[in-house]
Amino acid sequence: MIDKQQLAQVINEALAGTGLFLVEVKVSSDNVIDVAIDSMGDVTIDDCVMVNDKVLAAFDRDKGEDYELTVGSYGIGEPFKVREHYLKNVGGPVEVLTKAGVKLKGTLKDAGDNGFTLTVTQKVKPEGKKRPELVETDMSLAYDEIKYTKNIITV
């Protein structure tokens, strides 16, 4: 079976300096390999071919185990997997589900090493007023308290 860590290392070396980043590597027990890459911009077919070629060169099928390889870009509607996804989507609308089961929708304000800030709009009833008002509030969330974060796609 192909070693996932060695595979990730080869891919990360291939992506170094390209603006692309590795999102996920899956290796099944029968050596079916799925690689997902992304970038702060667009991922082209040429980017996927380049990664494919680097993996084929590093893991020669004739000299080692046979495998099936698929390289593609990570889907826009999929949950964020790496910190770069948060950085890429700063300023955009996102949906967050915390591990406590709280679902939040708002604008991703910023992303750091340990967490991110989400700006949410809440109804708040100011003291002395009869009607609630919409107020924007910044919430700081740690990555380890999040079940998922994903883009809200608007048409």
Side-chain angles (χ1 to χ4, degrees), residues 134-148:
L134 293 177
V135 177
E136 286 190 349
T137 307
D138 287 346
M139 300 179 70
S140 293
L141 300 161
Y143 297 125
D144 63 359
E145 63 184 328
I146 301 303
K147 190 168 187 177
Y148 73 75

Side-chain angles (χ1 to χ4, degrees), residues 88-131:
K88 177 180 181 175
N89 291 287
V90 167
V94 295
E95 177 181 285
V96 176
L97 180 62
T98 67
K99 289 182 179 174
V102 178
K103 189 178 275 190
L104 304 165
K105 291 184 180 184
T107 302
L108 186 58
K109 186 174 181 178
D110 65 29
D113 291 337
N114 300 314
F116 61 97
T117 304
L118 184 69
T119 303
V120 296
T121 303
Q122 299 175 319
K123 284 186 179 181
V124 176
K125 186 177 177 193
E127 195 172 313
K129 295 203 175 184
K130 291 184 178 184
R131 296 185 182 196

